[in-house]
Amino acid sequence: MNHWSTHQLTEFFAAVCAPQQEHAAIMVAVERAAEVLETEVGAVLRDGRVLVSWGTGRDQLEAVLDGTERPATLAVPGIGELHVTTARFNPGGALLVARMNEALDPEERQLLQAMAQTLELALTNISLLSAERALREEREREVAERVALLDSLREARQDPLTGLPTRMLFLEMLAEQLDRDSATSVLFIDLDRFKAVNDSLGHRAGDELLGLVAARIRGCLRPSDTAARIGGDEFAVLLNDCEAHQAVPVAQRLIDAVKLPFPLAGQEVFIGASIGIAAGPGAAPGEILGNADVAMYRAKQDGAGRVVLFDPQMHAEALARLTLNGDLQRALALGEFRLQYQPLFRLDSGQPVGVEALVRWQNPDRGYVSPADFVPMAEETGLITDLGRWVLNTAGRQAAAWRRTQPDLGINVNVSGRQLTDPQFASDVERMLSDTRLPPDAVTLELTESVLMSDPKAAIACLRDLQDLGVDVSIDDFGTGYSSLSYLQRLPVDELKIDRAFISRQSPTTADLAVVRTIVELARTLRLRTVIEGIETEAQRNAMQVLGCDLGQGYHLCRPVHPESLLTGLGLPEPTWKAA
């Protein structure tokens, strides 16, 4: 970047970071960007809507854009035909400038992107400061509530909102029951979607709802049973003379009762409950309540409105997940991940056209760890972003080495939902292409259908950034994510990868073939190539070739192999079959 642009960017940074309100910072950013880049029009968009415009009216610019975030040109009444450049920033924002006569050159585009990132930083700081103030106020309120609760406990040891026993009194009652050495079960109840009520209707409505829930719980119990409010939106129930399996119908009755609408703030409010069950005697009161809490957490993992009985294995599983998380974070730092590659073949000629990079983890203590175990954990913790960047760069370097002797060989890389929404992801791909000198059309990024369909509008915006780079995009596991055809037509993708579930039988049935045929015809209509994965028999391969699938992948064609095994002969292993 030239000295003048660095100077201008420094001034831009200082100006945009000065305001303490989001709208003011956006106004400054638009004005400064238009002035520095000498453009007739400037604007900031978010989720396709114009927030602020400069050089023309906001409503007028929004009408001209008509929902398009990244047009190449723009005809603005009173100004003329303008060349448009857009730089995205998180979350869902875009800094747009439009200039007459000529488009921005690469250096100016780089400056605009830097301005967008600076605006993102400024907005993040403003948001953090606002959140910090809100959090401080919330904590002060919570401290006041805790003090009031402690005062109430000293007087009556009953929850002031619900009239139920508190945790302290509940544990004392549980201890007395255990001393009798009789069958005792404890239910740990956590309300589902309670936070949404607090956030939308306020804490007073939330407190009222807790009282209504307590009444529902009491109405489901026998006179000899005890309900308590443990804290927050958590309740516990003590069932006397009741084995764990006998407590399940009671728990289900409680869930059904809580699912019914609550009259609150002039409207009907719907929430739910998840319940864990643990039994005594044989353990201390606190341990039994804790076991029921662990079972409740498992119930929430399985889905809202579930009942789960405690099993000692749950403690081991929780510890195993904690350990796996730690090992996973160390694995990336210590270089324990490896890539294997599985070729994709043309079904009409049997020729290999590309390879898919598959991440593998060999831990010194655990041995081989399945991606089905560690990839979801990486997604949950956010480590998938760093892991995905490593896969992208490693696969890119390997593909560049292979293309010295196999110039037409492509590389497919899987992309997670977190990576797709990362504002730096397109820059990561661009940097990899630059470092490896790979042509963009040699790279195909695979995204699952469920990721794309979870937020199609956001996906379209993110995919356009990748489309601008020239890389191909493939929808992986197609047919399992309930794609909307209206969105499928708008998604800037190049390939449909048909899920292996449709040919899971050794000899595909008529129904299986009908589904695949429909997808292939749809792809042809949309001018997309098709890949069928999971080919494990010659019958499957032949059937897919007859249906017109372009490419195939599977153990029958070639298993995933280490990179050194591909560097034989023509650079790829011979397929186990030959096309007719």
Side-chain angles (χ1 to χ4, degrees):
M1 186 182 293
N2 287 340
H3 176 76
W4 70 268
S5 60
T6 303
H7 174 71
Q8 296 286 2
L9 182 59
T10 301
E11 290 187 346
F12 180 87
F13 179 86
V16 173
C17 289
Q20 296 185 3
Q21 300 296 326
E22 180 180 275
H23 188 268
I26 292 175
M27 284 289 296
V28 171
V30 171
E31 294 175 3
R32 289 300 180 97
E35 291 173 1
V36 170
L37 296 170
E38 300 179 347
T39 64
E40 281 73 21
V41 171
V44 163
L45 290 70
R46 179 166 290 163
D47 298 326
R49 305 287 296 178
V50 178
L51 296 183
V52 169
S53 66
W54 183 89
T56 186
R58 184 176 66 85
D59 293 340
Q60 183 182 46
L61 180 60
E62 191 158 278
V64 173
L65 286 170
D66 193 25
T68 303
E69 286 193 17
R70 301 176 62 83
T73 60
L74 204 62
V76 179
I79 300 178
E81 190 79 4
L82 303 178
H83 297 275
V84 179
T85 304
T86 305
R88 297 190 58 79
F89 61 88
N90 196 44
L95 178 59
L96 178 149
V97 294
R99 186 165 68 187
M100 295 183 64
N101 300 327
E102 60 181 4
L104 268 62
D105 59 34
E107 182 176 310
E108 291 172 322
R109 288 174 177 269
Q110 186 178 14
L111 179 58
L112 181 65
Q113 183 61 57
M115 289 177 172
Q117 293 173 355
T118 300
L119 176 58
E120 176 185 334
L121 177 62
L123 297 180
T124 300
N125 288 339
I126 292 172
S127 176
L128 289 174
L129 289 173
S130 299
E132 185 177 357
R133 287 193 295 269
L135 180 61
R136 184 168 59 250
E137 293 171 357
E138 177 71 11
R139 286 176 175 171
E140 290 173 354
R141 187 195 65 80
E142 290 180 353
V143 168
E145 283 186 353
R146 289 172 183 171
V147 170
L149 180 59
L150 287 174
D151 291 340
S152 177
L153 285 173
R154 294 188 187 99
E155 295 176 3
R157 298 191 337 195
Q158 282 188 323
D159 176 56
L161 289 178
T162 63
L164 297 178
T166 62
R167 172 191 289 264
M168 180 185 300
L169 182 55
F170 181 83
L171 289 174
E172 291 177 2
M173 299 173 72
L174 176 57
E176 292 177 1
Q177 182 64 24
L178 293 175
D179 287 342
R180 300 191 183 100
D181 202 25
S182 61
T184 303
S185 293
V186 170
L187 279 56
F188 198 105
I189 307 168
D190 185 88
L191 301 183
D192 301 323
R193 301 182 299 278
F194 176 77
K195 185 177 183 298
V197 176
N198 262 346
D199 293 342
S200 59
L201 300 180
H203 290 283
R204 180 174 297 178
D207 292 344
E208 182 181 347
L209 178 59
L210 290 174
L212 296 173
V213 170
R216 292 260 180 102
I217 292 175
R218 282 195 298 258
C220 295
L221 303 179
R222 302 169 300 180
S224 59
D225 301 326
T226 301
R229 183 188 175 205
I230 300 302
D233 61 344
E234 296 174 337
F235 294 82
V237 170
L238 171 60
L239 300 178
N240 296 320
D241 301 319
C242 180
E243 302 285 354
H245 69 276
Q246 296 172 317
V248 174
V250 180
Q252 190 59 58
R253 189 161 63 245
L254 287 168
I255 288 176
D256 293 340
V258 173
K259 282 196 301 186
L260 296 174
F262 289 90
L264 194 67
Q267 58 184 295
E268 289 188 335
V269 172
F270 292 85
I271 60 172
S274 300
I275 300 180
I277 300 174
E287 183 180 353
I288 295 175
L289 184 62
N291 291 343
D293 189 5
V294 169
M296 181 278 298
Y297 179 75
R298 168 61 66 84
K300 275 194 172 294
Q301 284 185 316
D302 292 344
R306 301 293 183 91
V307 178
V308 171
L309 288 171
F310 173 75
D311 187 305
Q313 182 65 25
M314 292 179 185
H315 277 309
E317 291 174 357
L319 180 59
R321 282 181 55 82
L322 184 63
T323 305
L324 175 63
N325 184 25
D327 289 347
L328 187 60
Q329 304 217 20
R330 286 188 292 272
L332 189 58
L334 297 176
E336 294 178 3
F337 291 104
R338 296 289 183 269
L339 291 184
Q340 287 188 325
Y341 299 87
Q342 186 172 28
L344 294 88
F345 296 92
R346 290 198 61 86
L347 292 181
D348 57 359
S349 66
Q351 293 300 310
V353 297
V355 293
E356 179 183 358
L358 303 170
V359 65
R360 301 290 185 254
W361 180 19
Q362 189 75 24
N363 182 268
D365 300 321
R366 295 174 177 269
Y368 174 76
V369 183
S370 169
D373 293 328
F374 72 80
V375 170
M377 173 65 74
E379 286 270 12
E380 182 181 327
T381 61
L383 188 66
I384 195 69
T385 301
D386 292 334
L387 179 58
R389 186 179 297 113
W390 175 84
V391 171
L392 177 69
N393 293 329
T394 303
R397 289 192 298 270
Q398 182 64 71
W402 280 329
R403 285 174 65 90
R404 294 168 190 161
T405 56
Q406 296 290 324
D408 296 328
L409 186 68
I411 183 72
N412 287 37
V413 179
N414 292 283
V415 177
S416 74
R418 277 182 178 261
Q419 286 177 277
L420 182 64
T421 56
D422 182 357
Q424 300 301 317
F425 179 61
S427 298
D428 290 340
V429 176
E430 185 176 20
R431 189 177 303 109
M432 183 276 288
L433 294 173
S434 176
D435 292 344
T436 61
R437 299 179 183 271
L438 279 174
D441 59 4
V443 178
T444 298
L445 302 177
E446 297 189 11
L447 298 109
T448 63
E449 187 180 9
S450 57
V451 165
L452 294 175
M453 288 302 104
S454 63
D455 190 350
K457 291 184 179 179
I460 290 172
C462 295
L463 292 180
R464 282 177 180 159
D465 290 336
L466 300 175
Q467 189 180 47
D468 289 346
L469 297 177
V471 299
D472 284 357
V473 175
S474 173
I475 302 182
D476 197 8
D477 300 335
F478 186 79
T480 62
Y482 309 103
S483 291
S484 165
L485 292 182
S486 62
Y487 277 117
L488 186 59
Q489 295 179 60
R490 296 167 54 193
L491 287 172
V493 300
D494 308 273
E495 177 182 279
L496 298 183
K497 200 167 187 182
I498 305 170
D499 189 77
R500 68 182 64 240
F502 296 111
I503 60 166
S504 57
R505 299 176 179 85
Q506 288 190 351
S507 295
T509 66
T510 302
D512 294 332
L513 297 179
V515 173
V516 176
R517 181 183 295 109
T518 301
I519 296 175
V520 170
E521 291 175 355
L522 172 64
R524 286 175 179 167
T525 302
L526 298 177
R527 298 182 180 179
L528 306 176
R529 65 177 175 269
T530 51
V531 181
I532 183 70
E533 56 183 352
I535 296 179
E536 297 186 358
T537 68
E538 179 62 16
Q540 292 172 342
R541 187 209 65 78
N542 183 64
M544 295 303 103
Q545 182 183 358
V546 170
L547 289 179
C549 287
D550 301 310
L551 307 178
Q553 187 179 23
Y555 279 16
H556 177 66
L557 310 182
C558 183
R559 290 174 175 267
V561 295
H562 295 295
E564 57 269 18
S565 299
L566 286 171
L567 299 179
T568 58
L570 296 179
L572 286 173
E574 291 292 326
T576 58
W577 56 278
K578 296 291 184 180

